[in-house]
Amino acid sequence: MAQDSVDFSSHYQFWMQKLSVWEHASTLETQQDTCLHLPRFQEFLRQMYEVLKELNSSTIIERFPTIGQLLAKTCWNPFILAFDESQKILIWCLCCLINKEPQNSEESKLNSWTRGLLSQILSAFRFDTKEVDLFIQSLGYTPEDYCPGLLKNMVLSLVSELRENHLNGFNTQRRMVPEKIRFLSRICIPLVTLPDIEPLVEALLTYHGHETQEVLWPEFFDAVNEAFLLKKISLPTSAVVCLWLRHLPSLEKATLHLFEKLISSERNFLRRIEYFLKDSLLPEAACHPAIFRIVDEMFRYVLLETDGAPEVLAAIQVFTQCFVEALEKKNKQLKFTLKTYFPYASPSLVMVLLQHPKEIPQELWLQTLKHISEMLREIVEDQTHRSYGGPFECWFLFIHFGGWADIAAEQLVMSETESSEALLWLLAFSYSPRDGSLQRAQTMVELKAALIHLKKLFRSPTLSAKDLQAVAAESPDRDPRPALCQQLSRRLLLNFLLWAPGGHAIAWEVITLVAPTDEITHEIIGFLDQTLYRWDHLCEEAPRSRKLARELLAELHASSTSQLKMLGTGSARPRCSRGPADSQAQSLNVSSPTVLPQKNQQ
Amino acid sequence: MPGMTHSADRLRQSSGNFHWGLLPNWKEACRRRGPPSISPRCSAPTCGAPGLLSADPDRPLKGGGPLKSGGLPPAPAFKGPGCPDGSPVRLAGGWPNSAGRGAEPSRGRPNRRAGARRARGGRGRGSGSARGRMESLLQQLERFSEVLAVSRTAAVSAWGPAAVRRAVQWARYLRRAHGRLRAALEGRRRAGPRLGAWGGRDVVLSARLLGNRALGAAAHRCLLRLLFPGPAAPAPAPAAALQARLARLARRRGAVRLLLRGGPAEDAALRTQAELLLRRLRDGPAGGLLDGLWARAPRAAFLRAAAAALLLDPAGPAPGELLRWLLGRADALAALCRDLPAARLAALAARHPALRRAYLRQLARWGCRLRYDLPSGRWEAAEPAHVSWAELRGRFLSLARAPPPLKDAALAALEAWSARDGAFRVRGLSVWTDLLLALGPGAGTDSLGAAPSSGVLGAGGCRLARPGPARSPEHAHFPK
């Protein structure tokens, strides 16, 4: 408590000094400095109100003899009065200053002075001329009616000036000089969240002058971006795109804001990730290649930082899907070539991957998968394809369209395919890009064995959970299988359970057998959620499988929630955090930090 | 409150269509809770209307006797401007209840007392009650406008905390009533009473009282407590809402001040005045209002706003009435043509053909008053008050620069008048010919001397009768 009051006193001194410098906000520097400090000053005002409301007027004056000065300086600063809620908090502070029972003339004088300040903040607008005042009065209106209309029209007039329009014969033919535009962008900083100003903010953002340098203040972009991210304003997408294109820090902040949201949300279902992504406007904005490249680059860093956490992989996949949707919605004919979005990738591979599986007949899926697999394999294993950035770049491109890997696993279990080799390779690559050919071949052999085992059981009328468990579990008579093989086998097994005629009956039993740890439970939950999400998007009609997947998901949720409750950790455990990501990465063997960044540098 | 009686009359004619059933919550809340009291606890929105729920039908309609006990809803009451005496405004008329829904409209004036009785008994089925209630609401609005008028005078010095509290309660109540009535009258604009500005009166009252130095210290403190309950006030409560509105007003004011630093905003100011004028015109009968404005308001400001209004929304009914009024008032029209800048008049003439014809007639009149001064070789005004040659030329220049239909009409008129005067291409003979010459080549002089095109704009003849005065405009035949 004592520390608080010391803090407050030092803040008080700091702001007193600032306000003296800012007085009347006349010079450019003071205005800039004011704008920079507006949020912090509002916070200080709030603090001050909390202090003042506990004291009576005399004590306030005793403890803060200069408070009158401070408040008066605040009342005269138009930037502060126009900012967010500052004027309201200031009024509350002034109300605390009014003495309820003035004992002497000094106190009465203070009351009267405070009243003056209050009415200075609130007594609405004064007219330019007496004549106008009288006219408005004869109409039966008041300055309070006039002020909002005037503001609206001032904004409209500035907007149309900015757009070099003519407004009904009103004189707006003057073209705005860059200095005025710069000035407006500064004036708008405190006003950004005032709904009346929105059209002007939008017009400033979309204004394209002929100047070579940016005319708008960077602080203006910061203020708009902040207000947009906090949902204090709503702007059309075009204006937001302009904001991000013109001010890179804003785009970075918006992307980080999205990451924070994804991380802090308790459990990331893909639907939820999709909601956050669409809500952020980033996929739509990414239709502009410059924005796409930056967001994509940030995803890449997060992926490397988290050692390929499955949550990040999922986010990239959903982001790409939303982006492709937005791209299609915007324009059937691409305005920019694919090369501008994926400069390091083979264009033909991008073309194939960009196709939505829904647009391809199901009987051709195998063919497409084979094609993808072959193209990737050629680039990854053939040294002549260095221009496409090597294995990591290929893998990074492929995980954007990770749905294909899931389809590959599904197809392996379901269909009698000739090309199982290619599909197995694709699966092994997508889960472990850094493996060398030999390692991958070994993985494929293991997987193939598991697959053959599953295939045998697929039509079997009597299935036992123990038989199936053997696919995923380690065999006691061999060396421990690599974690990757285990995980991939689990994936095949889960697909088997969903699609095999007899799988439904024993699904839950198998899952309890193969998921002894939280990590594996979490992995299975992720798989089921991803599968359902993919089916929804493919309009896959598989009522039985769908029903089973949903039931299993619900069951797993219920059991994992009750476990968490028993552990007392509740919902506090972030799902996309470093913790599970680490363990996942270990088992996935996705990207050893020592290898991937190097490859990335190539 | 000008126009209020008229609205009441209109309402009386139309209230048969008015469904009180559209206001179920309002009604329900009032019926359930009964009359509000003035205790501070009762400032919540559910407390219903101050004054409207009077349970005593025998009370006189206008404030007279002292406030009786029994929780009679208090309204700030005034005998005359600024005489708060604590006596309540008593407005009977009762309150609608669900049983009144769908009742058949009755004939004749509603019986206020009957309405009140019904309200008291909670069994109102009478058809006249809706009308009565509406009428009582209108009367309350009227009464409140007195309160508002007083709020900015020195008479508030006599207001105590109780009067301030009542006034603020009234204002908040009327905002809610206004909101609901507006929703209920949606689509029945013509049938509705003049509701235009009532929504924001709570803010107006608050700002006026805050700025009024005559308000006593205790009353002012009470006002601050009412208006700024601080962050603790629960958000949807009317107190918090009013606080937010006042803060927004302060913020908007700050915004205007900041934007004005970038330069004056005359266009925006004029546009705002025009919009307010149009809004007022939409609310009530135009003729009376405009006559009143012409008589009492500053004329220059009025005419500027009227012109701007005619440019804002040329298709709407309100500008139509304004235009009709203007065309019917020769003095106003002449002042308009005289006082407004040429460019603005040209814009008006381009937008409104009727105004274009009137403007050209006015220009013709002015031209006829010019005389040619042989020694100086210039057209001179006969009297200093008359429009000068330079000004007339300026007006025509601006018309000649306008887009085609207007430009063509103006030039055709000049040509026609010039033809009437003989179309001799000699300076000093006809003011119209000289004007045509002054407008320069390309301004339609090619057809100089040709016969006037039919009768559309012909007839403005004003041949100079040298050395005598020009023919008076009354003798000229102007286009209809």
Side-chain angles (χ1 to χ4, degrees):
Chain A
M1 195 64 197
Q3 184 57 39
D4 279 359
S5 94
V6 170
D7 280 355
F8 178 73
S9 298
S10 72
H11 290 170
Y12 184 94
Q13 291 309 325
F14 172 80
W15 290 113
M16 189 72 186
Q17 223 170 350
K18 274 275 177 217
L19 283 165
S20 306
V21 178
W22 292 346
E23 206 137 20
H24 302 311
S26 48
T27 69
L28 193 65
E29 285 76 28
T30 53
Q31 285 177 14
Q32 230 174 327
D33 193 48
T34 315
C35 289
L36 202 65
H37 286 87
L38 284 171
R40 278 175 60 203
F41 184 70
Q42 177 161 305
E43 213 30 63
F44 166 72
L45 277 178
R46 236 182 251 285
Q47 260 181 31
M48 181 154 75
Y49 172 68
E50 292 302 322
V51 173
L52 298 189
K53 75 172 183 191
E54 305 295 337
L55 308 172
N56 67 35
S57 172
S58 328
T59 327
I60 292 174
I61 300 297
E62 228 167 78
R63 278 186 56 185
F64 309 103
T66 53
I67 193 149
Q69 258 185 61
L70 185 131
L71 291 175
K73 282 182 205 292
T74 311
C75 286
W76 285 103
N77 190 311
F79 282 86
I80 297 175
L81 286 187
F83 180 68
D84 204 31
E85 294 192 308
S86 294
Q87 65 304 109
K88 193 161 77 182
I89 308 167
L90 180 62
I91 292 172
W92 294 340
C93 291
L94 284 169
C95 287
C96 296
L97 226 57
I98 298 250
N99 200 320
K100 284 171 192 68
E101 276 145 22
Q103 302 293 325
N104 50 44
S105 68
E106 275 300 304
E107 289 178 354
S108 305
K109 234 167 89 184
L110 176 70
N111 274 4
S112 162
W113 178 83
T114 313
R115 274 180 77 164
L117 281 185
L118 275 167
S119 91
Q120 132 82 15
I121 301 173
L122 279 155
S123 63
F125 191 74
R126 301 210 196 298
F127 291 101
D128 325 333
T129 62
K130 188 90 192 134
E131 206 187 21
V132 173
D133 188 12
L134 277 173
F135 172 61
I136 296 298
Q137 257 188 49
S138 345
L139 274 177
Y141 290 110
T142 64
E144 290 78 19
D145 301 315
Y146 185 73
C147 184
L150 179 65
L151 179 59
K152 182 200 79 184
N153 285 324
M154 286 174 87
V155 167
L156 276 182
S157 162
L158 289 167
V159 167
S160 69
E161 259 188 83
L162 269 170
R163 295 189 178 148
E164 295 168 49
N165 276 347
H166 307 279
L167 201 67
N168 298 333
F170 283 87
N171 173 29
T172 51
Q173 293 186 6
R174 302 154 276 161
R175 273 189 61 178
M176 231 185 243
V177 289
E179 290 73 43
K180 170 125 187 216
I181 295 168
R182 202 168 169 72
F183 164 81
L184 279 177
S185 73
R186 193 169 59 243
I187 290 296
C188 279
I189 294 171
L191 297 173
V192 157
T193 52
L194 186 62
D196 311 59
I197 300 292
E198 257 172 42
L200 182 57
V201 171
E202 188 194 330
L204 282 170
L205 287 175
T206 49
Y207 163 81
H208 287 292
H210 309 288
E211 300 78 21
T212 46
Q213 284 190 326
E214 180 57 79
V215 282
L216 306 180
W217 284 93
E219 290 85 354
F220 167 72
F221 291 123
D222 282 334
V224 176
N225 195 51
E226 182 82 10
F228 171 74
L229 294 181
L230 296 178
K231 296 203 178 300
K232 285 185 171 178
I233 51 169
S234 57
L235 286 170
T237 314
S238 56
V240 180
V241 170
C242 286
L243 165 72
W244 290 338
L245 280 176
R246 291 173 84 158
H247 194 240
L248 193 58
S250 287
L251 175 59
E252 287 173 348
K253 226 178 260 174
T255 315
L256 288 176
H257 185 79
L258 169 71
F259 291 161
E260 272 163 28
K261 264 186 167 174
L262 291 178
I263 289 168
S264 61
S265 109
E266 187 188 329
R267 191 174 260 145
N268 280 310
F269 297 114
L270 293 193
R271 286 247 166 259
R272 210 173 158 76
I273 294 180
E274 185 184 322
Y275 169 77
F276 281 138
L277 275 162
K278 284 191 170 158
D279 189 51
S280 74
L281 281 191
L282 280 167
E284 241 181 295
C287 289
H288 197 290
I291 293 180
F292 177 85
R293 293 278 303 280
I294 285 165
V295 178
D296 202 40
E297 200 60 20
M298 289 179 77
F299 267 122
R300 180 204 299 260
Y301 278 119
V302 178
L303 195 63
L304 291 172
E305 282 294 311
T306 56
D307 294 340
E311 286 86 350
V312 181
L313 288 170
I316 294 176
Q317 196 179 321
V318 179
F319 169 77
T320 313
Q321 184 189 306
C322 297
F323 155 72
V324 173
E325 263 172 37
L327 212 56
E328 277 167 1
K329 212 192 288 173
K330 199 155 253 180
N331 210 337
K332 286 276 167 205
Q333 203 71 37
L334 273 179
K335 213 161 118 191
F336 303 96
T337 58
L338 287 173
K339 188 93 189 147
T340 51
Y341 297 99
F342 303 99
Y344 305 120
S346 142
S348 50
L349 181 60
V350 174
M351 283 296 284
V352 179
L353 288 173
L354 263 177
Q355 290 176 304
H356 197 282
K358 206 168 107 184
E359 291 158 11
I360 305 170
Q362 269 200 31
E363 55 274 18
L364 294 182
W365 281 0
L366 275 174
Q367 205 180 317
T368 312
L369 282 167
K370 194 167 161 246
H371 191 41
I372 293 171
S373 172
E374 278 162 3
M375 275 202 277
L376 276 170
R377 195 167 183 173
E378 197 185 324
I379 300 168
V380 170
E381 291 179 357
D382 188 348
Q383 295 301 309
T384 55
H385 285 281
R386 272 293 174 226
S387 60
Y388 295 137
F392 177 75
E393 286 304 332
C394 280
W395 177 77
F396 186 59
L397 172 70
F398 181 65
I399 53 123
H400 281 78
F401 308 92
W404 281 115
D406 300 331
I407 295 178
E410 202 172 79
Q411 291 290 319
L412 275 171
V413 175
M414 282 168 64
S415 56
E416 297 298 329
T417 170
E418 303 275 303
S419 42
S420 65
E421 198 72 11
L423 268 56
L424 283 172
W425 186 90
L426 196 62
L427 215 53
F429 173 69
S430 76
Y431 279 78
S432 178
R434 53 138 236 166
D435 282 354
S437 310
L438 274 174
Q439 261 173 300
R440 195 166 291 129
Q442 182 57 40
T443 309
M444 285 163 67
V445 169
E446 296 257 0
L447 273 185
K448 197 158 190 177
L451 191 63
I452 290 168
H453 186 73
L454 286 173
K455 284 270 165 94
K456 268 188 216 147
L457 296 170
F458 199 80
R459 299 283 161 209
S460 151
T462 51
L463 280 174
S464 87
K466 285 277 173 216
D467 285 348
L468 285 168
Q469 190 203 1
V471 174
E474 293 171 32
S475 330
D477 54 331
R478 279 190 307 173
D479 293 339
R481 292 161 73 197
L484 169 69
C485 285
Q486 285 184 37
Q487 199 198 357
L488 283 173
S489 310
R490 265 199 300 277
R491 190 134 295 204
L492 293 177
L493 175 64
L494 289 167
N495 272 304
F496 175 90
L497 290 174
L498 291 180
W499 289 104
H504 299 67
I506 50 160
W508 181 244
E509 198 187 341
V510 174
I511 282 178
T512 43
L513 283 174
V514 299
T517 63
D518 273 357
E519 268 109 59
I520 297 180
T521 309
H522 183 54
E523 176 202 311
I524 296 175
I525 288 176
F527 165 80
L528 290 170
D529 176 46
Q530 217 161 328
T531 306
L532 280 167
Y533 180 81
R534 179 165 51 88
W535 287 348
D536 285 345
H537 273 263
L538 291 173
C539 307
E540 178 78 57
E541 280 195 40
R544 266 168 61 89
S545 307
R546 216 180 250 272
K547 186 163 168 277
L548 175 66
R550 246 188 242 119
E551 281 169 4
L552 289 176
L553 197 56
E555 200 86 32
L556 282 169
H557 274 317
S559 63
S560 70
T561 317
S562 61
Q563 265 179 19
L564 281 176
K565 272 190 189 147
M566 272 162 58
L567 287 170
T569 48
S571 58
R573 185 177 167 196
R575 283 312 208 168
C576 193
S577 66
R578 195 69 208 205
D582 278 348
S583 53
Q584 286 290 332
Q586 267 177 6
S587 66
L588 282 177
N589 205 4
V590 164
S591 52
S592 140
T594 51
V595 177
L596 277 174
Q598 281 170 7
K599 292 202 170 162
N600 191 23
Q601 280 161 12
Q602 283 173 357
Chain B
M1 182 72 194
M4 194 56 87
T5 322
H6 173 89
S7 309
D9 286 339
R10 283 208 299 198
L11 184 82
R12 221 166 275 131
Q13 291 155 16
S14 61
S15 62
N17 297 326
F18 182 76
H19 289 281
W20 282 97
L22 290 168
L23 315 173
N25 299 334
W26 198 20
K27 222 165 54 178
E28 266 304 300
C30 295
R31 200 164 55 87
R32 226 177 21 247
R33 290 192 175 78
S37 76
I38 51 172
S39 70
R41 271 178 299 131
C42 249
S43 56
T46 47
C47 283
L52 274 181
L53 285 168
S54 57
D56 186 354
D58 301 325
R59 219 166 260 272
L61 182 68
K62 296 228 169 180
L67 183 63
K68 281 186 188 167
S69 60
L72 186 74
F78 306 94
K79 274 180 173 167
C83 296
D85 57 2
S87 57
V89 174
R90 249 297 288 115
L91 289 165
W95 202 246
N97 61 33
S98 53
R101 196 181 302 180
E104 80 281 6
S106 76
R107 291 160 187 79
R109 285 178 65 87
N111 181 338
R112 287 194 197 105
R113 293 195 171 207
R117 270 194 296 278
R118 272 193 294 277
R120 184 172 50 161
R123 293 279 181 274
R125 288 173 189 281
S127 51
S129 57
R131 260 182 250 162
R133 283 185 287 268
M134 178 55 94
E135 199 168 306
S136 74
L137 176 66
L138 292 176
Q139 281 166 351
Q140 304 216 11
L141 288 176
E142 197 167 349
R143 187 50 52 98
F144 184 69
S145 72
E146 288 169 23
V147 176
L148 259 187
V150 169
S151 66
R152 64 170 160 202
T153 66
V156 295
S157 59
W159 287 21
V164 165
R165 196 176 303 119
R166 280 199 299 269
V168 172
Q169 274 184 342
W170 262 79
R172 281 186 200 150
Y173 157 68
L174 285 174
R175 167 180 284 275
R176 293 204 305 285
H178 172 263
R180 292 189 190 255
L181 262 184
R182 252 234 311 237
L185 290 171
E186 201 67 34
R188 295 191 191 81
R189 198 167 265 284
R190 297 213 156 267
R194 243 177 68 174
L195 292 169
W198 279 105
R201 297 302 90 171
D202 50 353
V203 173
V204 174
L205 178 86
S206 312
R208 279 185 182 173
L209 286 178
L210 279 169
N212 194 339
R213 286 291 189 152
L215 192 68
H220 184 259
R221 280 198 303 277
C222 170
L223 182 69
L224 288 183
R225 270 200 308 280
L226 284 170
L227 299 184
F228 304 109
L242 181 54
Q243 172 173 271
R245 276 195 291 277
L246 285 168
R248 191 162 61 228
L249 177 69
R251 196 172 177 207
R252 280 175 164 161
R253 187 171 167 252
V256 169
R257 278 174 59 200
L258 273 182
L259 287 175
L260 278 174
R261 291 176 159 225
E266 286 132 12
D267 287 354
L270 194 53
R271 209 183 151 93
T272 313
Q273 291 154 35
E275 282 169 357
L276 289 178
L277 174 63
L278 285 178
R279 205 203 291 177
R280 182 55 88 222
L281 284 173
R282 278 184 213 114
D283 280 346
L289 173 75
L290 291 167
D291 281 338
L293 284 173
W294 181 241
R296 286 188 301 276
R299 290 195 167 177
F302 169 49
L303 289 174
R304 273 200 304 272
L310 286 173
L311 286 172
L312 272 183
D313 174 23
E321 291 193 53
L322 178 58
L323 188 62
R324 263 193 298 286
W325 178 85
L326 205 53
L327 292 170
R329 285 292 298 241
D331 50 347
L333 188 66
L336 181 90
C337 295
R338 185 71 205 255
D339 293 348
L340 250 52
R344 183 57 56 90
L345 280 162
L348 274 175
R351 199 64 82 76
H352 301 281
L355 208 56
R356 180 184 76 207
R357 290 190 287 273
Y359 182 37
L360 287 174
R361 274 199 296 274
Q362 192 62 46
L363 290 174
R365 253 177 235 131
W366 289 341
C368 289
R369 289 192 198 141
L370 291 176
R371 296 158 185 223
Y372 193 69
D373 183 52
L374 272 177
S376 66
R378 281 201 299 245
W379 290 93
E380 306 241 319
E383 287 172 34
H386 286 176
V387 170
S388 69
W389 159 262
E391 200 178 324
L392 195 62
R393 201 178 118 249
R395 305 272 160 147
F396 272 106
L397 259 177
S398 153
L399 289 174
R401 280 193 207 116
L406 177 62
K407 174 187 173 177
D408 296 347
L411 291 176
L414 271 182
E415 280 166 22
W417 299 335
S418 163
R420 280 291 163 97
D421 289 349
F424 300 113
R425 307 189 73 167
V426 180
R427 289 197 186 277
L429 278 179
S430 160
V431 69
W432 313 121
T433 312
D434 286 10
L435 273 172
L436 273 173
L437 290 169
L439 293 183
T445 41
D446 317 344
S447 54
L448 196 67
S453 55
S454 71
V456 181
L457 274 165
C462 187
R463 188 193 173 123
L464 180 68
R466 247 180 327 149
R471 205 188 302 167
S472 73
E474 283 75 20
H475 298 140
H477 301 281
F478 292 109
K480 293 271 183 309

